[in-house]
Amino acid sequence: MVYARVAGVHDGVKALLNAQVEHGIELAESLGYSKNGAIVLRDVGSGTTLDRPGLNKLRDMAAAGNLEAAFAHGPDRLSRNALDLSALVHELQANGVAVYFVKGWSGSTPDGAMPASFVGQFGRYQRRLMGERTRRGQMAVARGGRMPAGASSQSEGYDYDPV
């Protein structure tokens, strides 16, 4: 089973998801798993929550004993929260599912569990940095007299006057 996730809706969503799936299938094949009958689950949404349709299906399949291995591009595709990531990998492994990542640590080995906390914490830190950078960029654009991307023409109850 290959799981792919992107954070938001934009022009490149389909290409990003397809690339993650392709890399996951390549890793699975390199480890001796068959491409035939591979299940692919895709989600578009935040990595800060575990309540996503594709991830829920992955967990249900694991709990039912219908899954041998799960492949994701990186740990942050499963979760950006260290505790959630650790708990999710533990849950999958407790159900007999080997967890593999194209990039980053491998949750399928005992040594792979240690870096999970680092990866999860870094994911949370990186998400916070992205928010700060976005806000700084939007403020700079607004100070320059332009409407920030994604802002409505009536932001915060004000009308925009391009003059």
Side-chain angles (χ1 to χ4, degrees), residues 74-89:
D76 64 331
R77 299 301 85 200
L78 292 180
S79 179
R80 286 199 177 266
N81 179 296
L83 295 175
D84 287 348
L85 177 61
S86 247
L88 181 58
V89 169

Side-chain angles (χ1 to χ4, degrees), residues 2-136:
V2 176
Y3 177 79
R5 180 190 67 80
V6 293
V9 178
H10 49 78
D11 291 340
V13 166
K14 188 174 181 180
L16 287 171
L17 287 170
N18 288 342
Q20 288 181 34
V21 168
E22 182 180 318
H23 295 148
I25 289 174
E26 287 171 4
L27 176 59
E29 288 180 321
S30 76
L31 294 171
Y33 291 94
S34 173
K35 181 179 179 178
N36 296 334
I39 298 166
V40 175
L41 301 173
R42 294 173 172 91
D43 274 328
V44 176
S46 174
T48 61
T49 177
L50 293 180
D51 188 17
R52 301 186 301 267
L55 187 59
N56 290 339
K57 184 168 184 173
L58 182 156
R59 295 171 80 185
D60 290 345
M61 291 174 65
N66 297 331
L67 206 53
E68 184 179 347
F71 298 86
H73 196 265
D76 64 331
R77 299 301 85 200
L78 292 180
S79 179
R80 286 199 177 266
N81 179 296
L83 295 175
D84 287 348
L85 177 61
S86 247
L88 181 58
V89 169
H90 177 76
E91 173 188 332
L92 294 172
Q93 290 175 335
N95 286 308
V97 178
V99 181
Y100 298 96
F101 299 106
V102 174
K103 302 286 184 193
W105 63 278
S106 175
S108 63
T109 65
D111 291 339
M114 183 196 61
S117 62
F118 299 127
V119 172
Q121 287 296 76
F122 184 74
R124 179 184 285 173
Y125 172 71
Q126 192 171 14
R127 180 170 166 52
R128 186 178 56 79
L129 284 180
M130 286 188 298
E132 288 176 9
R133 289 178 187 143
T134 299
R135 284 186 290 282
R136 273 197 321 261

